[in-house]
Amino acid sequence: MKADEFLKALEEVAEEKKIDKEYILSAMVLALTSAYKKNFVQATNVRVDINSETGEIKVFAQYIVVEKVENKLTEISLEEAQKINPKLNLGDIYEKEVTPADFGRVAAQTAKQVIIQKIKEAERESITQEFIDQEGELVTGTVNRKDNVNYYVNLGRTDAILPRSETINNEEFPTGKRIKVYLFKVEPTSKGVLLLLSRSHFGFVRRLFEREVPEIFDGTVELKAIARDAGSRTKIAVLSNKDGVDPVGTCIGPKGERINAILKELNGEKIDVVEWDKDPKVFIANALKPATVLSVDILDEKEKQALVIVSDDQLSLAIGKKGQNARLASRLTSYRIDIKTENEAEKQEENE
């Protein structure tokens, strides 16, 4: 490849892939230096020069000016150096052009390798920058392919991985289907950018509410806490930042339109929307809905332990199937909740 052809090709690639030409040239200098030592003289100190205007490539052997030469490949005597250039002194570097006749072939091969490598690096960096700002956000993609472990979802410039373990109740998606997913991890690797998706992450529900409820998106209603058993039940706690706005009703929407849109995306997963309160007693009582609570006693505020009293007919509802309602309420409020009936509480007091 001629110098001008090489430079033209380099400029075209740099323009097309949006890579700085000087960035590629500096990488080529390092690669060509290594290539010269590998293919020609390994022990020589060399400097490779690429003319950014013409594309011409030259190789210069570098010699340190010394009093007595001990290594002919890297040193030159002061006497010999001053015969060439009287201005050279001890410790100076004398350069001699040693460009091999067939170095153009080596340069062409090296240029191809460097450009391919830099294109990959630049594209990886570009994709990373594009998606790093979307980490923790809801994105939409197309199922490109699938296997027994993962779905591979195309997000435009690259594919992301949706592990089957991160789906809702092992839901099945056909190839070509557009799906909403939560981008929970963006990680650059040596092979590219790893994008991990989820539909079982609690953040997926949070972002769905922000999309369906404008008042959450604009801050009128604040989503304070969320606890989720993916595919089964989710509890969210909301607070109104504006007088006259019912936070729970706002999330439910007229005739349940807003909550139904979210439920449809979650394949029937149940959602309890409760009102958050700065008073932990009130918040814990709300969190245990749909059960009706008689009283809440904070046993240890520092250790976050609470005793809840319910009537006999509300005990199973408060605890929930396999303890789910109590477990989610505990996670939502960050309190360890002990639930007892009135009779159980009275017997305990009598025994004490």
Side-chain angles (χ1 to χ4, degrees):
M1 181 185 289
K2 295 181 180 179
D4 58 342
E5 293 176 349
F6 157 71
L7 193 63
K8 183 179 179 181
L10 177 62
E11 289 173 342
E12 288 176 354
V13 170
E15 176 66 26
E16 180 185 349
K17 298 296 183 179
K18 306 300 180 187
I19 308 172
D20 183 33
K21 185 180 78 170
E22 296 301 323
Y23 174 66
I24 298 179
L25 286 174
S26 62
M28 274 202 62
V29 166
L30 295 175
L32 287 172
T33 301
S34 177
Y36 178 85
K37 291 184 175 183
K38 179 180 179 181
N39 291 281
F40 299 96
V41 185
Q42 186 173 7
T44 304
N45 291 328
V46 297
R47 179 178 68 85
V48 174
D49 179 76
I50 303 176
N51 190 309
S52 61
E53 298 298 325
T54 65
E56 185 179 13
I57 300 172
K58 291 183 178 181
V59 182
F60 296 90
Q62 295 184 320
Y63 302 88
I64 301 174
V65 179
V66 296
E67 191 70 47
K68 183 180 179 181
V69 175
E70 294 181 357
N71 186 340
K72 291 183 179 181
L73 291 176
T74 60
E75 297 173 340
I76 185 172
S77 69
L78 178 62
E79 181 182 353
E80 288 296 319
Q82 289 187 336
K83 286 180 183 179
I84 301 168
N85 184 354
K87 294 182 179 180
L88 289 172
N89 294 307
L90 291 174
D92 289 346
I93 300 295
Y94 162 66
E95 290 191 335
K96 176 184 177 182
E97 185 179 352
V98 291
T99 308
D102 63 342
F103 198 59
R105 174 185 56 82
V106 175
Q109 293 174 345
T110 303
K112 183 179 179 180
Q113 294 169 357
V114 168
I115 289 173
I116 290 173
Q117 178 188 353
K118 293 307 172 185
I119 286 173
K120 288 181 179 178
E121 288 178 2
E123 288 183 334
R124 182 165 65 241
E125 177 64 21
S126 177
I127 291 171
T128 301
Q129 290 305 314
E130 177 180 341
F131 287 102
I132 198 72
D133 292 336
Q134 297 184 58
E135 189 171 7
E137 297 293 337
L138 197 67
V139 295
T140 302
T142 303
V143 177
N144 205 15
R145 57 192 177 91
K146 57 184 177 179
D147 55 32
N148 292 332
V149 180
N150 300 312
Y151 287 99
Y152 300 91
V153 182
N154 185 267
L155 299 181
R157 295 182 61 194
T158 188
D159 279 357
I161 297 174
L162 172 63
R164 287 181 178 269
S165 59
E166 291 291 331
T167 60
I168 304 170
N169 289 336
N170 296 315
E171 57 198 336
E172 283 289 333
F173 299 116
T175 302
K177 183 175 177 60
R178 296 273 292 173
I179 60 173
K180 294 185 180 71
V181 284
Y182 180 74
L183 178 58
F184 74 91
K185 189 174 185 180
V186 179
E187 181 179 311
T189 70
S190 59
K191 295 183 179 180
V193 183
L194 175 64
L195 304 177
L196 288 179
L197 308 173
S198 176
R199 285 172 56 84
S200 63
H201 196 285
F202 69 87
F204 183 61
V205 175
R206 177 183 287 274
R207 296 308 183 200
L208 285 175
F209 268 93
E210 290 176 351
R211 176 172 290 194
E212 295 295 332
V213 184
E215 290 83 355
I216 290 180
F217 186 77
D218 67 22
T220 301
V221 172
E222 187 176 348
L223 203 163
K224 295 288 288 184
I226 183 168
R228 187 183 185 198
D229 277 351
S232 180
R233 195 179 205 95
T234 291
K235 284 182 180 286
I236 71 165
V238 291
L239 169 71
S240 174
N241 290 319
K242 186 176 181 180
D243 291 341
V245 174
D246 171 17
V248 175
T250 298
C251 292
I252 301 299
K255 298 180 180 180
E257 290 178 359
R258 292 175 173 178
I259 197 74
N260 285 337
I262 295 170
L263 291 173
K264 184 178 179 181
E265 187 64 45
L266 298 178
N267 294 329
E269 180 177 319
K270 294 180 176 61
I271 299 179
D272 297 331
V273 183
V274 302
E275 188 167 2
W276 183 88
D277 198 287
K278 63 181 179 181
D279 183 342
K281 293 183 179 181
V282 177
F283 185 24
I284 290 170
N286 290 343
L288 284 167
K289 290 180 178 179
T292 301
V293 171
L294 296 177
S295 67
V296 178
D297 184 20
I298 304 300
L299 303 178
D300 190 324
E301 191 169 352
K302 184 178 180 180
E303 296 296 324
K304 291 188 174 295
Q305 295 179 357
L307 173 64
V308 171
I309 305 300
V310 298
S311 58
D312 289 356
D313 64 340
Q314 291 291 305
L315 180 61
S316 60
L317 191 59
I319 294 174
K321 186 178 180 180
K322 297 181 179 179
Q324 184 185 64
N325 194 59
R327 183 173 63 253
L328 288 175
S330 179
R331 284 161 49 189
L332 191 71
T333 61
S334 299
Y335 268 80
R336 289 177 57 193
I337 302 172
D338 186 17
I339 303 173
K340 296 183 181 298
T341 64
E342 288 179 288
N343 290 333
E344 288 174 335
E346 287 172 1
K347 288 180 180 179
Q348 184 173 333
E349 286 181 5
E350 289 174 2
N351 292 334
E352 292 176 352

